[in-house]
Amino acid sequence: MPATKPIVIAHRGASGERPEHTLASYTLAIEQGADFIEPDLVMTRDGELVARHENNIAETTDVGSRAEFKDRKTTKTIDGVKYTGWFTEDFTLAELKTLRARERLPMLRRDNTKYDGQFEIPTLREVIALAKSAAVSRGRPVGIYPETKHPTYFASIGLPMEAKLLAELQAAGWDRADAPVFIQSFEVDNLKALSKQTKVRLIQLLDTDGGPADKAQPSYAAMITPEGLKAIAVYAAGIGPNKSLVVKNDGTAMPLVADAHAAGLAVHPWTFRAENFFLPASLRSGINPAGHGRLEEEISRHLAAGVDGFFTDYPYHGVQARDRQSR
Ligand code: G3P
Ligand code: CA
């Protein structure tokens, strides 16, 4: 594996400190030293890519309080799960731009609610522009790490994501192997298709349970075997595993990093968060779920296990832990 420093990927921006997937969240992440900012991507009705973790925007915007969109509330089945809410594919970009973001986790991140109602939903184009201008003003690379969310579902409703994503990267001059870009997906076949259309580095996401929504592989468990990892290496540059596939909550390192490196794959686990609620019991401080525990120690465990980067909601702590380890 390369001898470069592990990369700090700002998960949904500095989402521990600002409402996720807003330019304010990405900007703070860059100020804190993140190497990459992560937009999750979904489609609008008019075929634009916007940054949201899911196409149901009920939880992370003020859409529910907007009388003009009352009749857009609906129920849909996406990747086999039923959701009720408002969906990006039922809105034009112009309509989505009238909405404002809200904190997803107000019980755990109460301070962030003071920003509710302030920030727009950004487009991928705006996220790229932000990364580019920050790279110039800060004199260092700032990359993007976009994730295609529900690609099979969006293709099924006539809004395929991949061609649009590549067009945006091409327009930015970033549709090339050395671009500061990784494209990630929990699905398999859209990454395989992308691997034939672009040299941009691709990352296969892996979870502890279940399998890819496109059913291209029977389970994530099969994909993390040495044979499964060799198959991923045919189309991807790396894997993005759930952190507990790398280091167990009791601190025991798993063989995944060594197996992935043997297959030629980089390893970027997710997601490192400061709140006790998300930390292993031994790294919590106090009993308040919203209190902050020893996040940097958790990240250090993964760095010691040999990861090549990691996703965190708290890029400041990510940079601190990474730089301490790299010294
Ligand atoms: O993309 C890495 C990590 O973000 C995957 O989980 O659900 O936060 O997109 P999610
Ligand atoms: Ca993601």
Side-chain angles (χ1 to χ4, degrees):
M1 279 292 110
T4 53
K5 285 202 287 192
I7 56 170
V8 177
I9 307 151
H11 183 250
R12 315 183 197 175
S15 56
E17 299 176 77
R18 296 289 185 276
E20 68 186 39
H21 291 313
T22 58
L23 292 182
S25 182
Y26 300 133
T27 298
L28 180 59
I30 294 165
E31 286 167 10
Q32 293 178 342
D35 301 296
F36 287 80
I37 50 177
E38 189 224 15
D40 293 320
L41 297 176
V42 294
M43 298 292 289
T44 70
R45 189 169 81 193
D46 44 351
E48 298 294 333
L49 285 163
V50 293
R52 287 288 95 192
H53 181 259
E54 54 276 292
N55 51 336
N56 182 353
I57 49 174
E59 298 298 318
T60 64
T61 73
D62 60 359
V63 68
S65 67
R66 304 291 289 271
E68 67 272 39
F69 298 129
K70 199 165 169 245
D71 61 354
R72 307 264 178 110
K73 188 175 185 184
T74 186
T75 298
K76 303 190 186 205
T77 299
I78 295 149
D79 297 344
V81 181
K82 216 175 218 194
Y83 298 94
T84 296
W86 291 259
F87 296 83
T88 57
E89 65 267 27
D90 298 330
F91 291 77
T92 63
L93 176 60
E95 289 172 333
L96 288 174
K97 279 290 187 185
T98 69
L99 303 178
R100 292 294 177 266
R102 299 175 59 165
E103 171 54 43
R104 174 190 294 277
L105 302 170
M107 303 299 284
L108 293 176
R109 296 173 174 172
R110 202 176 55 191
D111 282 357
N112 291 2
T113 61
K114 66 174 175 273
Y115 302 105
D116 284 358
Q118 292 191 23
F119 307 128
E120 292 180 6
I121 296 176
T123 62
L124 173 61
R125 207 167 310 148
E126 289 168 333
V127 178
I128 291 172
L130 174 68
K132 285 190 161 223
S133 99
V136 171
S137 63
R138 293 182 174 270
R140 68 171 179 89
V142 177
I144 64 162
Y145 206 124
E147 179 184 349
T148 55
K149 285 290 186 193
H150 310 299
T152 295
Y153 167 77
F154 276 115
S156 79
I157 59 168
L159 291 168
M161 319 180 77
E162 294 77 13
K164 180 67 179 169
L165 173 56
L166 294 184
E168 295 284 359
L169 293 176
Q170 198 156 33
W174 277 358
D175 187 7
R176 50 186 171 76
D178 62 348
V181 181
F182 290 92
I183 299 173
Q184 39 164 344
S185 181
F186 278 109
E187 295 193 12
V188 172
D189 280 347
N190 83 313
L191 287 179
K192 284 186 175 174
L194 280 165
S195 73
K196 296 187 171 66
Q197 299 164 54
T198 182
K199 299 263 190 275
V200 169
R201 294 164 292 180
L202 306 178
I203 298 291
Q204 177 68 62
L205 297 174
L206 301 163
D207 211 342
T208 46
D209 303 308
D214 61 359
K215 312 266 189 245
Q217 287 291 330
S219 67
Y220 292 123
M223 295 171 77
I224 63 166
T225 62
E227 297 69 35
L229 293 165
K230 274 184 215 144
I232 293 171
V234 172
Y235 60 88
I239 55 171
N242 183 309
K243 64 185 181 182
S244 62
L245 294 169
V246 174
V247 176
K248 290 201 291 194
N249 273 353
D250 66 5
T252 312
M254 307 289 278
L256 182 59
V257 173
D259 290 346
H261 286 177
L265 293 164
V267 182
H268 300 159
W270 46 270
T271 299
F272 295 91
R273 294 166 159 144
E275 292 83 4
N276 287 327
F277 183 81
F278 298 111
L279 284 167
S282 64
L283 297 178
R284 293 177 195 151
S285 300
I287 57 165
N288 179 358
H292 287 197
R294 303 204 301 281
L295 168 62
E296 291 182 24
E297 209 171 312
E298 189 191 29
I299 294 171
S300 295
R301 287 179 179 176
H302 283 72
L303 291 167
V307 302
D308 306 284
F310 54 91
F311 292 78
T312 179
D313 291 4
Y314 288 89
Y316 170 82
H317 290 295
V319 170
Q320 292 289 311
R322 187 273 311 273
D323 288 352
R324 194 180 309 119
Q325 197 96 2
S326 303
R327 271 197 289 272

